[in-house]
């Protein structure tokens, strides 16, 4: 009797366990099969419809939306729906267009920028003002506040802002700067009403008021931010009733939330989640080469890489194409050639040919000439998310040059500390910023930046310094600036400072019913402006 | 008894002092400059220096320590480096969320775990017993992370019954909060549920063999009363100990569940703070959890005396 029941027990438990396992697997495997593949309701575009709330997933928790205090890109993406800057980039980032300012001119000495302001701009009603008209004084207040108090100096080199007339302001700089307009496009430089800032004090970050298409309805710490349409918005009337930004920190859960309909859109899709979204008939994956590059920095003043021949050898020994394919198995990146992303107007494709191709024999020979026929030992610093890049690069260095690069995985705080101090012989990191080359090349190659993370290899070349300075101080003419940057990049390439690795895509996954959303290379989210007005086709 | 409780509360002070000091030291030992982390890759050295100064990180460590203890005495946990808000208010905004999630998970695990354990014990070596034991073994060893993802894949993505992440809000109606609660509660409850089932089973097995149970049965008491009243009451003591431990670890350690389900609780606050080198928040939250931990242990000790009057609440209880 007992024997039988024991066997029965065992059998039934095995059954239960395997059913559980099956159920779990089934959930994953059969989901896509369930929906009909042919169900492409790919919006026959049609007339835009009003109404609905767009739910967007953001991968980090927004802590503060105060323009002078925010630090993360995900925060600026919320700010952009609430406030406006004086000028902004067009969605293809090719040029800067009017926003709150309708026109502007630059003085001959390039130290005074004068802006004409739009006349029909109102703030959203808040606790300390009821939606009054924006004035030139507000622009002065907001920009000076940013110039003086912004932790990240989102507005550099501004001496003062002068109110010329009711709708005219002049920004006075302490030195000529052709990159000022680019800086003004930053979410940190939106125009805000003084009463609200002073009324809310530390709490302004969760009660941001601006002039944008949507206003804060509710800020739920760590969970979401709800925005509703602002009726007095000066631009095109938004089709959406509101926007909800939801914070979902786990990347896989983000994709699950998109599939289940918790959210309508996710930014920053990576890895396997790209494939999952592409396969799902209800979803779209929109991708575009971004303003984000990855590279291996080679220490210029310490260790074997001090020798230019060693650096050249390392560049020739890394098969970048193979590395990018290996790391980005599901796509999302291409080989990068220059320390500038293709989406920047300063990119010069004619320089690509000067970048040494993968050539292990030649590399080996160069390394021997430099006095290291048997390779050497070194260290390669990375943060955890770039370990795959480091693993492949280290393997290639070992195979092709017999260089033993020990991979040091540290987290961000430690990484930035070591790299900024110039203590990393080799390191892999990424860089992304505005499309203006100044924010890449000056930050990464000017000798004044030694000691900061940008120039962590302590690169110093007086000729490059001079070119980079001239490019912002001499002229605002884009063609002339581009020429100067090209010259600088040529010298930088000859000095072998970097091994350029991947140029990363900006990828956004969304439900097919999300219409008229434009993925931008800078990854910023604009829902309503002259070029776009997102609506829901459901 | 009141006197003893008061005494135990006073005993809290040295414990908290040790915790505070340890956390202070450990958070300063982690490499990485909070100013640099806050400002991100594009910050220049002088921006970082300025930030350090404004955060008060330039002061010598002993001064920072004295200041930290000083404000602690006034009940002030400091101001977060990243949020620029008082840590106490950050915690108080999230603690109710963690409490809600933990309470649901606890209720779920008790409601299922204890009866399962009892059935298992009273029907030892039956199919029921084996099923419960195997499931509880699976339960304790199930990685929450995996379980969480599976639950979401099945119930949110495949069936579309329940939301995948977030907490919902009361403004969308009570139902919204309830539906958001279900999956994370299940994920968080598996380990305690399995633990409760096993503990209940073993202590019940011990109790039902004892003489007074036999006596009770011999007196003709209905089996239901014998088991659920007499036996369970005496089997409660070990269960209470485990329960206390589980509640504490749920409150402090809902970290994984909260991260997976984007639940806006304390667990996520701490994880975020550690990543951002927000010392002040880490210190404050750890202290807060320590206080809760001690209080729950005290509560468990008091409950002992209620459940089992033979246990005396002593001054030096091993809380």
């Amino acid at each position: 009797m007992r024997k039988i029941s024991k066997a029965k027990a065992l059998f039934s438990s095995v059954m239960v366990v395997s059913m559980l396992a099956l159920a779990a697997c089934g959930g994953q495997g059969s989901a896509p099969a369930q929906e009909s593949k042919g169900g492409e309701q790919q919006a026959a575009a049609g007339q835009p419809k009003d109404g609905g709330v767009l739910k967007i997933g953001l991968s980090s928790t927004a802590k503060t939306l105060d323009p002078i205090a925010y630090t993360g890109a995900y925060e600026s993406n919320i700010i952009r729906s609430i406030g406006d800057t004086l000028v902004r980039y067009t969605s293809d980032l090719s040029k800067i267009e009017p926003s709150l300012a309708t026109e502007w001119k630059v003085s001959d000495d390039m130290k005074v920028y004068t802006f004409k302001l739009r006349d029909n701009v109102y703030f959203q009603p808040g606790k300390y003002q009821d939606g009054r008209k924006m004035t030139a004084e507000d622009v002065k207040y907001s920009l000076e506040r940013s110039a003086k108090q912004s932790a990240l100096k989102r507005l550099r080199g501004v001496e003062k802002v002068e109110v010329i007339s009711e709708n005219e302001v002049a920004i006075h700089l302490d030195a000529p700067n052709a990159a000022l307009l680019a800086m003004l496009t930053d979410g940190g430089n939106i125009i805000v009403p003084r009463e609200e800032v002073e009324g809310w004090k530390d709490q302004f970050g969760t009660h941001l008021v601006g002039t944008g298409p949507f206003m804060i309805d509710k800020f739920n710490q760590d969970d979401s931010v709800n925005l509703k349409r602002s009726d007095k918005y000066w631009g095109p009337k938004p089709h959406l009733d509101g926007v909800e930004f939801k914070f979902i920190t786990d990347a896989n859960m983000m994709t699950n939330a998109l599939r289940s309909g918790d959210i309508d859109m996710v930014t920053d899709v990576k890895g396997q989640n790209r494939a999952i979204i592409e396969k799902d008939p209800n979803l779209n994956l929109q991708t575009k080469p971004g303003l984000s590059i990855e590279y291996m920095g080679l220490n210029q003043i310490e260790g074997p890489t001090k020798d230019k021949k060693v650096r050249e050898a390392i560049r020739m020994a890394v098969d970048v194409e193979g590395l990018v394919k290996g790391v980005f198995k599901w796509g999302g990146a291409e080989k990068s050639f220059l320390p500038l992303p293709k989406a920047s107007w300063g990119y010069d494709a004619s320089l690509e040919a000067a970048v040494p191709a993968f050539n292990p024999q030649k590399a080996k020979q160069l390394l021997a000439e430099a006095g290291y026929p048997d390779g050497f030992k070194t260290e390669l610093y990375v943060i955890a998310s770039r370990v795959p890049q480091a693993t492949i690069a280290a393997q290639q260095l070992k195979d092709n040059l017999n260089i033993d690069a020990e991979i040091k995985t540290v987290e961000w705080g430690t990484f930035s500390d070591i790299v900024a101090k110039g203590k990393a012989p080799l390191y892999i990191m990424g860089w992304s910023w505005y499309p203006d080359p100044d924010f890449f090349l000056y930050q990464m190659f000017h000798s004044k930046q030694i000691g900061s993370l940008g120039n962590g290899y302590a690169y110093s070349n007086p000729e490059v310094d001079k070119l980079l300075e001239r490019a912002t101080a001499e002229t605002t003419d884009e063609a002339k600036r581009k020429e100067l940057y090209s010259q600088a990049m040529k010298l930088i390439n000859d000095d072998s400072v970097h091994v350029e690795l991947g140029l990363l895509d900006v990828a956004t996954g969304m439900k097919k019913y999300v219409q008229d959303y434009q993925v931008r290379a800078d990854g910023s989210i604009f829902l309503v402006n002259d070029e776009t007005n997102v609506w829901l086709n459901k | 008894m009141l006197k003893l409780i008061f005494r135990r509360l006073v005993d809290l002070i040295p414990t908290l002092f040790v915790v505070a000091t340890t956390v202070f030291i450990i958070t300063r030992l982690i490499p990485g400059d909070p100013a640099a982390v806050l400002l991100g890759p594009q910050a220049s050295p002088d921006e970082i220096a300025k930030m350090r100064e404004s955060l008060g990180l330039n002061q010598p460590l002993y001064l920072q320590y004295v200041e930290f203890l000083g404000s602690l005495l006034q009940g002030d946990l400091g101001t977060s480096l990243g949020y620029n808000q008082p840590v106490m208010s950050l915690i108080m905004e999230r603690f109710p969320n963690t409490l809600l999630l933990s309470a649901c998970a606890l209720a779920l695990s008790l409601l299922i775990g204890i009866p399962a354990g009892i059935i298992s014990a009273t029907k030892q070596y039956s199919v029921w017993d084996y099923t419960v034991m195997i499931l509880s073994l699976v339960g304790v060893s199930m990685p929450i992370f995996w379980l969480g993802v599976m639950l979401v894949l099945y119930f949110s993505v495949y069936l579309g019954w329940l939301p995948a992440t977030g907490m919902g809000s009361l403004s969308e109606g009570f139902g919204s909060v309830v539906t958001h609660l279900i999956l994370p509660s299940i994920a968080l409850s598996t380990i305690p549920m399995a633990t409760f089932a096993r503990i209940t089973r073993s202590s019940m097995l011990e109790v039902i063999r004892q003489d007074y149970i036999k006596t009770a049965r011999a007196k003709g008491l209905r089996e239901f009363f014998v088991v659920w009243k007499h036996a369970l009451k005496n089997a409660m003591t070990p269960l209470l100990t485990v329960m206390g431990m589980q509640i504490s670890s749920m409150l402090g350690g809902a970290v994984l569940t909260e991260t997976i389900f984007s639940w806006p609780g304390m667990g996520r606050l701490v994880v975020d703070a550690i990543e951002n080198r927000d010392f002040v928040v880490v210190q404050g939250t750890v202290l807060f959890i320590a206080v809760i931990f001690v209080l729950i242990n005290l509560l468990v000790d008091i409950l002992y005396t209620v459940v089992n009057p033979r246990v005396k609440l002593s001054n030096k209880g091993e809380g």
Side-chain angles (χ1 to χ4, degrees), chain B residues 28-107:
Chain B
R28 310 300 140 139
L29 283 179
I30 313 175
D33 179 353
V37 176
L38 268 175
L39 293 180
Q42 286 123 355
S44 69
D46 62 300
E47 282 158 29
I48 293 174
K50 207 175 132 202
M51 188 76 167
R52 285 185 61 86
E53 175 142 0
S54 76
L55 294 176
L57 296 170
N58 281 342
Q59 292 175 17
L61 264 191
Y62 72 92
L63 263 184
Q64 289 185 38
Y65 179 64
V66 170
E67 214 168 88
F68 164 59
L69 285 186
S71 48
L72 205 58
L73 283 180
Q74 298 161 29
D76 178 9
L77 290 178
T79 303
S80 153
L81 307 181
Y83 289 88
N84 199 18
Q85 279 177 47
V87 172
M88 202 58 200
S89 75
L90 289 177
I91 293 177
M92 283 339 270
E93 261 163 44
R94 289 156 183 84
F95 182 61
N97 299 344
T98 300
L99 202 62
L100 176 66
L101 176 59
S102 308
C104 284
L106 182 71

Side-chain angles (χ1 to χ4, degrees), chain A residues 297-311:
Chain A
L298 310 173
N299 199 313
Q300 307 284 308
I301 51 164
E302 254 182 31
T305 51
K306 197 176 146 185
D307 187 336
K308 189 174 152 186
K309 275 201 173 134
V310 174
R311 301 200 297 264

